[in-house]
Amino acid sequence: MVKEGNSKTESSFDSVEKPEETVEPLKPTFNKPAIICVGEYPIKILLGGSLAEKKDEPLPIFIDKSSEDIAGWGQSMLNPESILGLDLKIDTHFWFQVLPAITNDGALIARLKDKPIDSLRGALIVSSLWDGVGSGLLPALISQFKEWNTNTVALGVLPSKMQVSDVHFNAFSSVGMCVSKGFASLLLLDRDQLENYVGVDRKGAVLKGNVFFNYLLEMVSAKETFVQELSELSRAFDVRMYTVLSATGASFSMYGSIKNMLESALSRPLLKFDLASASVVYVLLRLPLQLKEKLFKGKIELEIADWFKGKASLQTAFISEPVYVEDANDRVDLVMFVGGFDTTEMFKAMEKKVKEIKSFVVKKGSIKEDEWRVIAKSLGTV
């Protein structure tokens, strides 16, 4: 006689929980763009500012030849997650030594992909353009972000006129490759203009030399939509290169109007260029909350449009929604990103300066004549 099954046993089997399905955790979404700093020169500048001390995500990312070097410059201040050294046994004097190494190795891009890049509001890349790491990595990163469909703004520092031809060769090549990719907005600053800069910050303290670099980065990083807005403007008007005119820490009671601040900005350009040939401008403002009623966006738009009359035949002037801060003073930060200006003469002069070094590397087989022609064509020199 077969006994009936034990009801207690049966119910205990019935109550066994099925294993839960594995659910991928949602990636965090950040409102600010990633800041990626490439090369010794900009890294050391940023280490003197507040961005390097960030503890919240997304952390800035610092890239150079050696992780050990970056950590040393940071003097234990940097989070190890912020350091991405190439750490490859390669020569890094020229861009053509770095670029293929990054493409072929893939380790740096893999480590960068581990960061929450696709959950960010774009990427802001800051790079020196005269050294092999900065000049080679910038076009590589721009290409990668294009593949990831990530809006990108690249801030590149051109070499000083006092520097010799090899670094101008790196810079010319890097800008040409970036422009030929046709994706990122490229902000060009001249090293000489940057290091001779004299201005004022929101507290009235003097901003001198490349310290302004940090002030500019802190300002654009505080504007969450900056990368997205400038990228959209670039695509809409087919503009790739910009430079910066700024009037920071300008007391409204002293200047009396936005137009007077714009006149002040003309006296300290970050790149020598022909304003009359400019076609687009993106304007970023940071204002004390107390001036919100007096300096509203519509009024600012009209003043800027009126100021540009007779100075440039703009296709558009985009005024971003001002960033308002609780300051007791009346100081205004105004930065114009001016684009679409004629760069032909600037790059022709640079190409002339690098003619001999270019012939040397082509003869050596380091690059091909066809590669150089693509670079030069993208900058309008052939």
Side-chain angles (χ1 to χ4, degrees):
M1 182 176 179
V2 180
K3 293 185 179 179
E4 292 182 8
N6 186 301
S7 60
K8 184 176 180 181
T9 305
E10 289 176 354
S11 63
S12 65
F13 272 104
D14 289 339
S15 65
V16 172
E17 294 184 359
K18 295 179 181 179
E20 293 183 3
E21 292 183 10
T22 304
V23 179
E24 287 289 330
L26 291 174
K27 288 188 177 182
T29 300
F30 302 109
N31 291 324
K32 294 185 178 180
I35 296 178
I36 301 169
C37 188
V38 185
E40 180 178 352
Y41 181 81
I43 287 175
K44 286 185 173 179
I45 295 174
L46 260 69
L47 288 174
S50 63
L51 288 174
E53 299 172 0
K54 275 190 70 190
K55 303 300 181 188
D56 57 321
E57 296 285 355
L59 294 171
I61 298 168
F62 298 91
I63 307 177
D64 202 56
K65 183 176 181 178
S66 162
S67 297
E68 187 177 344
D69 285 348
I70 300 170
W73 301 331
Q75 298 179 335
S76 304
M77 178 178 66
L78 291 179
N79 185 320
E81 291 295 313
S82 287
I83 298 172
L84 280 185
L86 299 186
D87 300 322
L88 298 172
K89 292 181 180 179
I90 58 169
D91 292 334
T92 58
H93 190 84
F94 288 110
W95 66 266
F96 55 73
Q97 295 168 321
V98 175
L99 183 55
I102 298 303
T103 305
N104 296 333
D105 181 81
L108 180 82
I109 299 301
R111 284 184 288 160
L112 195 59
K113 195 174 183 180
D114 286 339
K115 310 293 180 184
I117 299 296
D118 56 351
S119 303
L120 296 167
R121 296 190 75 160
L124 178 62
I125 307 172
V126 184
S127 181
S128 48
L129 296 177
W130 57 82
D131 57 86
V133 173
S135 60
L137 254 178
L138 187 58
L141 292 176
I142 284 174
S143 295
Q144 189 58 64
F145 286 129
K146 181 178 182 179
E147 187 178 312
W148 291 340
N149 200 30
T150 300
N151 285 325
T152 309
V153 172
L155 200 162
V157 186
L158 294 167
S160 164
K161 288 179 175 59
M162 291 186 288
Q163 290 176 269
V164 291
S165 60
D166 58 342
V167 299
H168 289 271
F169 168 78
N170 275 340
F172 183 94
S173 304
S174 186
V175 174
M177 287 185 288
C178 290
V179 172
S180 69
K181 303 299 178 188
F183 183 70
S185 305
L186 185 59
L187 312 181
L188 295 178
L189 307 185
D190 179 271
R191 182 176 180 177
D192 292 326
Q193 299 296 108
L194 178 62
E195 294 186 352
N196 291 323
Y197 184 90
V198 179
V200 181
D201 68 12
R202 274 166 44 213
K203 296 179 181 178
V206 175
L207 275 176
K208 196 170 183 180
N210 58 29
V211 172
F212 172 75
F213 200 72
N214 272 331
Y215 198 77
L216 175 64
L217 283 176
E218 288 163 8
M219 191 169 167
V220 298
S221 66
K223 180 64 180 177
E224 295 175 355
T225 55
F226 170 74
V227 171
Q228 178 186 338
E229 289 175 347
L230 192 64
S231 297
E232 289 181 6
L233 191 70
S234 297
R235 289 191 291 269
F237 292 91
D238 196 25
V239 171
R240 290 292 167 262
M241 283 184 277
Y242 297 79
T243 192
V244 175
L245 290 173
S246 74
T248 57
S251 168
F252 185 70
S253 60
M254 184 181 295
Y255 281 85
S257 70
I258 291 292
K259 287 198 286 186
N260 287 339
M261 293 177 192
L262 297 174
E263 288 291 337
S264 168
L266 276 180
S267 66
R268 41 179 174 268
L270 272 299
L271 180 77
K272 291 181 179 178
F273 72 106
D274 179 17
L275 180 63
S277 65
S279 60
V280 302
V281 63
Y282 173 98
V283 183
L284 180 60
L285 293 112
R286 182 162 55 188
L287 306 170
L289 199 56
Q290 59 173 305
L291 292 178
K292 189 170 185 178
E293 299 300 320
K294 190 175 289 186
L295 289 179
F296 51 91
K297 185 178 176 182
K299 182 179 180 180
I300 295 167
E301 285 175 334
L302 293 177
E303 281 205 52
I304 289 175
D306 189 45
W307 182 80
F308 267 102
K309 282 181 181 177
K311 293 182 176 66
S313 299
L314 294 181
Q315 292 178 327
T316 187
F318 182 90
I319 315 314
S320 186
E321 190 65 39
V323 175
Y324 293 99
V325 290
E326 293 188 7
D327 271 351
N329 59 47
D330 69 343
R331 293 184 180 275
V332 173
D333 287 330
L334 184 153
V335 178
M336 289 190 293
F337 299 91
V338 184
F341 51 88
D342 187 2
T343 60
T344 306
E345 292 306 312
M346 178 177 74
F347 288 119
K348 277 186 175 179
M350 192 180 288
E351 186 181 34
K352 187 176 179 181
K353 189 167 187 173
V354 305
K355 186 177 180 181
E356 288 187 14
I357 193 83
K358 168 257 173 182
S359 297
F360 169 73
V361 298
V362 168
K363 187 176 179 180
K364 205 178 168 187
S366 300
I367 66 169
K368 295 177 181 178
E369 191 69 50
D370 287 348
E371 289 179 89
W372 182 257
R373 195 173 291 109
V374 170
I375 290 169
K377 187 177 180 181
S378 68
L379 297 178
T381 62
V382 293

